[in-house]
């Protein structure tokens, strides 16, 4: 790679020529599953706790969503996109702690 004549910084050092570029699309080289699962846990907590100001016992260290909850929806199918999963969990747990509070719907397990 050589600088062109119109380049205004002749002292700039160019990197050596690239002969290989790695482009990981399917997660084989870099496993991203864990970062997506953590996102599925913290986004609903932020929406329910911070945006809606609802309490599920977070001050006592209780988790709003667990990895088992996420895996239950993944196994059921239809929620392979983690953005959709975040919307689902935030909506479900907001409803549990606001609209459904004190009803049998709020007491249902994730697998139900």
């Amino acid at each position: 790679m050589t600088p062109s004549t119109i380049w205004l910084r002749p002292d700039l050092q160019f990197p050596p020529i690239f002969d290989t570029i790695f482009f990981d699309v399917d997660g084989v080289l870099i496993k991203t599953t864990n970062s997506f699962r953590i996102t599925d846990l913290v986004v609903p907590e932020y929406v329910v706790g911070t945006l809606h100001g609802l309490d599920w016992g977070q001050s006592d260290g209780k988790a709003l969503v667990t990895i088992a909850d996420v895996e239950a929806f993944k196994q059921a199918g239809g929620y392979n996109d983690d953005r959709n999963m975040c919307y689902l969990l935030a909506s479900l747990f907001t409803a549990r702690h606001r609209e459904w509070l004190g009803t049998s719907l709020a007491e249902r397990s994730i697998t139900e």
Side-chain angles (χ1 to χ4, degrees):
M1 179 181 261
T2 59
S4 70
T5 56
I6 62 170
W7 189 256
L8 300 178
R9 293 180 55 192
D11 58 326
L12 181 67
Q13 297 295 314
F14 287 91
I17 293 178
F18 292 103
D19 63 352
T20 306
I21 295 176
F22 289 102
F23 185 69
D24 183 27
V25 176
D26 58 1
V28 171
L29 298 176
I30 300 171
K31 189 160 176 73
T32 58
T33 303
N34 292 340
S35 64
F36 284 121
R37 292 301 176 270
I38 294 300
T39 302
D40 292 336
L41 300 179
V42 299
V43 167
E45 285 188 358
Y46 177 78
V47 171
V48 174
T50 304
L51 296 183
H52 297 302
L54 301 173
D55 180 40
W56 66 87
Q58 63 267 44
S59 59
D60 298 330
K62 292 183 182 176
L64 179 67
V65 183
T66 66
I67 292 290
D69 297 336
V70 174
E71 292 302 322
F73 279 106
K74 293 283 185 184
Q75 292 298 320
Y79 288 99
N80 289 329
D81 185 334
D82 287 284
R83 282 184 287 169
N84 291 339
M85 179 66 77
C86 288
Y87 280 116
L88 163 76
L89 294 171
S91 300
L92 175 64
F93 284 97
T94 297
R96 272 187 163 183
H97 294 288
R98 189 172 61 193
E99 286 81 11
W100 300 341
L101 191 62
T103 70
S104 61
L105 289 174
E107 303 304 319
R108 285 189 176 180
S109 71
I110 292 296
T111 54
E112 286 180 286

